[in-house]
Amino acid sequence: MKELVKEKVLKALKELYNTQVENFKVEKPKEEAHGDLASNVAFLLARELKKPPVNIAQELADFLSKDETFKSVEAVKGFINFRFSEDFLKEEFKKFLLSGEAYFKEDLGKGLKVQLEYVSANPTGPLHLGHGRGAVVGDTLARLFKFFNYDVTREYYINDAGRQVYLLGISIYYRYLEKCPERDEETFKEIKEIFEKDGYRGEYVKEIAERLRKLVGESLCKPEEANLKEVREKILKEESIELYYTKKYEPKDVVDLLSNYGLDLMMKEIREDLSLMDISFDVWFSERSLYDSGEVERLINLLKEKGYVYEKDGALWLKTSLFGDDKDRVVKRSDGTYTYFASDIAYHYNKFKRGFEKVINVWGADHHGYIPRVKAALKMLEIPEDWLEILLVQMVKLFREGKEVKMSKRAGTFVTLRELLDEVGKDAVRFIFLTKRSDTPLDFDVEKAKEKSSENPVYYVQYAHARISGIFREFKERYKKDVSVEELINYVQHLEEEAEIKLIKKVLFFKDELVDITLKREPHLLTYYLIDLAGDFHHYYNHHRILGMEENVMFSRLALVKGIKEVVRLGLNLMGVSAPERM
RNA sequence: GUGCCCGUAGCUCAGGUGGACAGAGCACGGGGCUCCGGACCCCGGGGUCGCGGGUUCAAGUCCCGCCGGGCACACCA
């Protein structure tokens, strides 16, 4: 709708003044009294035309008034207020009814190759609420991009390398050794020391250790007597879960073996958690593969050739401070190993080489200090500045009975994403994660999420959908037949009431809304639109009967609610929330 | 200490590339179908948009300072 008006304004400018402006706005005014859409063009032209905005607005309004698209075009204090004619709106609404969601599609993306990377949680523990929020934001954006014809790749970067993976192995081994009837005390002491300092203390580690014990018995209690090869084969043979890391990587010692085994189990958990939320990925990208292929090393060499690497204190440093970072960063430690930053640059370079034209990373907000160094590295590689976009997602706080549930891995009061999903369900989780701008912290009230009332926006919106479905069910029941949209569109002309025209507008404006949400990367606005639309519908429904009215009234109203249902369905769908036929 | 984000009604928050009298939900008070789903609807009171300057025809929105809150500042990932 906005585009249409913009075009008309541009045409008018050309005819009246033979001029063009770029950055004028056509927007939905806050006040309905100011029309369906309003524009500020006149203000922007005042200087060039050497006329007061009020006069320009008047001239434009007079000119555009002739257009049948509009019921009225008025100049008010320099603004131009547009009001669509009802005939135009009804014709558009019919088009929408016939074509369904396709009516809202537009070739925004033009097939642009976009990669969205999100979640990418460390495979050393279960997903927590923050990961879930990132997952929902990323997934919803992916759906929106697809809708507008971007060529989207959804990717999960698995941090399966480095010290954390080693610590996972240590932690599993510690929990395993704890329960050994007889064990090598020397080894136990050594492992225990590392564990107590940096180990993962969650229950899930114990579970992995127990699962391991079932497979291999006590054969790892005394590592010097253990036959690593046999143990590994035993695991591969007995374990019912598909093992990737355990199979692919020859372990150098027991801890290494357990690291791989742990990774396999954790990744399985993570995939399951995500699929419970209907979230899936096109690519699962392994950090370790960047080392295997030599990409990390080659990348550092490339940066060396470009003269951005120097040695200090036995380590290799990257001159990120040249490109806006606070200080230079280590890429290769004095012990010869690479830092996470090094592989991360290689990862981004890899994305670039894969031909993505736009890359969007959805990161936890605690990573914001990390952004400048990544951006600096990309500049060194001469990758365009706007190629990488980073969206930060703030943490989620859990509230139960009005009190914050403090999360601490150590205290054991850690609520996982899985637990929340089990308790309140996918729809509520996905919807509520999108009820706030993603860059501000979110308070998640468990009781409200479970409540089936207007306290809970999920139900409010879903209820609108179910109610409309109910109307059509009842129609079929009473009249023993279905109605097709082809029949319904013939009655659209009979929608005359103000509330009905208002609803038609609301429905048709969904397209502008979607475009806006996509370009601004603010999927939370989807929830606000839907709550608003659902509210308008509930209001309408409470004041207007549909079934049993005389033919023109009944069928025109059926057409109207059919359209609303379709928009609610599409909106929920883009958020990955179900649109139930009954509740 | 430095950097980033935030401060809008009693509570939770929209609005933030400046634009027309500041919005919603909840809570609080009062009301609503013999009839399509009451998980709904209607009415009401409620705000110096943290404070102080500045830019502008126009500031909740942009700039500066201050106050209050969050996060980040490793040869961790």
Side-chain angles (χ1 to χ4, degrees):
Chain A
M1 308 285 269
K2 283 182 194 169
E3 273 311 306
L4 182 81
V5 172
K6 267 195 167 179
E7 280 167 29
K8 288 183 186 295
V9 169
L10 282 173
K11 225 184 244 172
L13 289 177
K14 188 138 202 216
E15 292 218 14
L16 283 175
Y17 311 114
N18 194 28
T19 185
Q20 296 289 284
V21 244
E22 287 277 306
N23 296 321
F24 72 96
K25 278 189 198 169
V26 172
E27 282 184 329
K28 233 179 128 177
K30 286 180 200 162
E31 296 293 319
E32 274 177 57
H34 299 133
D36 300 326
L37 286 173
S39 178
N40 66 345
V41 243
F43 293 93
L44 304 178
L45 278 166
R47 183 163 299 170
E48 184 190 332
L49 298 177
K50 298 193 176 102
K51 277 188 195 179
V54 183
N55 296 7
I56 300 171
Q58 193 57 54
E59 286 166 12
L60 279 167
D62 290 344
F63 182 87
L64 288 162
S65 291
K66 295 174 215 150
D67 195 316
E68 288 181 357
T69 306
F70 304 113
K71 180 160 81 185
S72 69
V73 182
E74 296 169 344
V76 181
K77 292 193 230 168
F79 290 94
I80 305 170
N81 298 338
F82 300 89
R83 217 173 296 270
F84 291 109
S85 77
E86 293 179 8
D87 286 341
F88 168 75
L89 291 169
K90 288 175 191 172
E91 282 310 309
E92 289 297 309
F93 191 68
K94 283 192 217 169
K95 283 187 207 161
F96 160 61
L97 283 177
L98 284 172
S99 47
E101 66 173 54
Y103 177 82
F104 299 119
K105 290 208 180 194
E106 192 187 317
D107 193 3
L108 271 188
K110 302 192 170 61
L112 192 80
K113 284 192 70 170
V114 177
Q115 189 232 30
L116 269 158
E117 184 216 316
Y118 47 100
V119 191
S120 300
N122 288 339
T124 53
L127 295 180
H128 59 243
L129 305 188
H131 296 131
R133 192 178 183 192
V136 170
V137 169
D139 186 65
T140 303
L141 282 173
R143 288 168 195 246
L144 284 164
F145 281 129
K146 267 186 198 156
F147 188 79
F148 286 121
N149 193 33
Y150 289 82
D151 179 4
V152 187
T153 300
R154 301 164 301 176
E155 188 155 322
Y156 186 117
Y157 184 47
I158 309 170
N159 300 132
D160 52 8
R163 183 170 161 80
Q164 54 175 350
V165 172
Y166 166 75
L167 287 172
L168 177 65
I170 290 279
S171 306
I172 296 168
Y173 200 25
Y174 172 76
R175 293 303 189 191
Y176 174 87
L177 288 172
E178 259 188 339
K179 295 268 173 78
C180 284
E182 271 180 78
R183 68 189 165 219
D184 183 79
E185 291 302 330
E186 200 62 21
T187 306
F188 184 61
K189 205 180 139 199
E190 201 181 300
I191 299 288
K192 187 177 180 180
E193 205 169 297
I194 305 169
F195 175 83
E196 285 183 343
K197 197 159 164 269
D198 299 312
Y200 298 109
R201 288 150 199 273
E203 283 300 307
Y204 63 95
V205 178
K206 289 183 191 167
E207 285 162 21
I208 296 173
E210 281 321 296
R211 190 179 179 96
L212 175 73
R213 172 160 272 114
K214 282 196 185 119
L215 298 179
V216 305
E218 308 301 329
S219 61
L220 291 171
C221 290
K222 296 178 179 172
E224 71 280 7
E225 289 171 19
N227 184 328
L228 201 58
K229 210 172 185 175
E230 275 177 20
V231 174
R232 176 172 171 232
E233 246 142 55
K234 181 124 196 188
I235 294 175
L236 286 171
K237 198 174 145 218
E238 305 281 329
E239 179 55 83
S240 53
I241 293 166
E242 200 186 330
L243 301 173
Y244 169 80
Y245 292 99
T246 314
K247 192 182 262 177
K248 177 164 182 185
Y249 293 99
E250 185 86 32
K252 60 178 196 292
D253 54 30
V254 175
V255 171
D256 199 27
L257 174 66
L258 298 191
S259 292
N260 291 334
Y261 180 61
L263 278 178
D264 279 323
L265 294 190
M266 287 320 312
M267 282 314 297
K268 179 182 169 278
E269 287 290 313
I270 288 172
R271 285 170 199 255
E272 280 176 4
D273 288 358
L274 291 169
S275 73
L276 281 177
M277 282 211 296
D278 277 344
I279 285 169
S280 53
F281 289 90
D282 304 303
V283 177
W284 297 80
F285 195 99
S286 156
E287 178 188 359
R288 205 189 282 188
S289 74
L290 292 167
Y291 289 104
D292 297 346
S293 65
E295 280 172 81
V296 178
E297 195 179 342
R298 278 203 300 280
L299 189 270
I300 299 303
N301 285 336
L302 177 63
L303 289 168
K304 259 187 213 166
E305 282 164 29
K306 287 175 178 279
Y308 294 124
V309 177
Y310 63 93
E311 202 178 327
K312 194 182 91 181
D313 305 330
L316 289 183
W317 297 69
L318 192 64
K319 291 185 193 171
T320 49
S321 61
L322 284 177
F323 296 95
D325 197 7
D326 303 341
K327 50 188 169 187
D328 295 340
R329 308 288 173 175
V330 171
V331 285
K332 192 175 189 179
R333 301 185 191 91
S334 50
D335 68 3
T337 59
Y338 291 100
T339 60
Y340 177 77
F341 180 44
S343 58
D344 209 22
I345 306 170
Y347 178 45
H348 282 88
Y349 194 56
N350 176 290
K351 292 183 186 186
F352 188 69
K353 289 288 171 194
R354 271 190 276 160
F356 292 117
E357 296 162 276
K358 164 71 85 182
V359 160
I360 300 175
N361 294 350
V362 180
W363 280 354
D366 52 345
H367 286 70
H368 77 257
Y370 185 72
I371 297 170
R373 78 189 74 162
V374 174
K375 293 254 182 190
L378 295 184
K379 273 183 207 156
M380 292 174 187
L381 294 166
E382 290 159 60
I383 294 172
E385 191 129 8
D386 60 357
W387 178 76
L388 172 67
E389 257 179 64
I390 294 173
L391 304 180
L392 295 180
V393 176
Q394 281 282 6
M395 57 192 282
V396 178
K397 280 189 201 164
L398 201 64
F399 283 76
R400 211 179 273 282
E401 283 152 21
K403 280 187 185 164
E404 183 180 353
V405 181
K406 294 276 184 194
M407 307 254 198
S408 155
K409 284 186 184 177
R410 281 174 190 273
T413 52
F414 188 76
V415 180
T416 63
L417 179 61
R418 174 81 63 109
E419 286 162 350
L420 187 68
L421 283 168
D422 288 344
E423 192 172 350
V424 310
K426 175 203 78 164
D427 286 344
V429 169
R430 286 196 69 135
F431 197 97
I432 292 171
F433 276 169
L434 287 176
T435 51
K436 274 196 72 172
R437 267 202 358 239
S438 53
D439 64 354
T440 51
L442 176 84
D443 294 343
F444 194 110
D445 187 317
V446 179
E447 271 74 31
K448 274 187 195 168
K450 285 200 288 190
E451 209 166 300
K452 299 184 174 180
S453 74
S454 56
E455 278 271 345
N456 188 341
V458 192
Y459 285 98
Y460 189 73
V461 174
Q462 287 183 322
Y463 183 49
H465 188 270
R467 256 184 153 177
I468 296 171
S469 304
I471 296 168
F472 282 95
R473 268 198 304 277
E474 179 67 18
F475 176 88
K476 194 174 177 182
E477 186 72 22
R478 284 196 199 180
Y479 301 97
K480 306 295 174 208
K481 60 169 185 176
D482 281 313
V483 255
S484 66
V485 277
E486 285 76 14
E487 290 172 69
L488 288 177
I489 55 169
N490 297 320
Y491 294 91
V492 169
Q493 50 175 313
H494 297 294
L495 292 167
E496 295 291 352
E497 284 192 36
E498 206 181 314
E500 290 164 345
I501 301 300
K502 191 180 156 196
L503 276 163
I504 289 178
K505 284 181 195 166
K506 190 101 199 167
V507 165
L508 296 178
F509 268 108
F510 188 47
K511 179 175 176 178
D512 289 340
E513 210 70 38
L514 284 177
V515 169
D516 212 45
I517 289 167
T518 307
L519 295 179
K520 284 158 88 176
R521 286 98 165 96
E522 290 189 337
H524 73 284
L525 296 175
L526 221 31
T527 63
Y528 285 89
Y529 172 85
L530 287 176
I531 290 168
D532 210 36
L533 176 65
D536 287 350
F537 164 73
H538 287 310
H539 173 84
Y540 177 78
Y541 182 80
N542 262 277
H543 299 275
H544 300 265
R545 300 223 96 248
I546 298 175
L547 300 186
M549 304 294 282
E550 57 116 337
E551 181 184 326
N552 286 346
V553 174
M554 173 163 79
F555 284 101
S556 65
R557 289 180 178 176
L558 280 173
L560 179 64
V561 296
K562 179 100 186 164
I564 295 169
K565 183 185 169 190
E566 172 62 13
V567 170
V568 172
R569 200 211 90 243
L570 174 60
L572 289 175
N573 216 273
L574 288 167
M575 286 194 292
V577 176
S578 64
E581 292 294 314
R582 55 181 91 226
M583 297 169 66

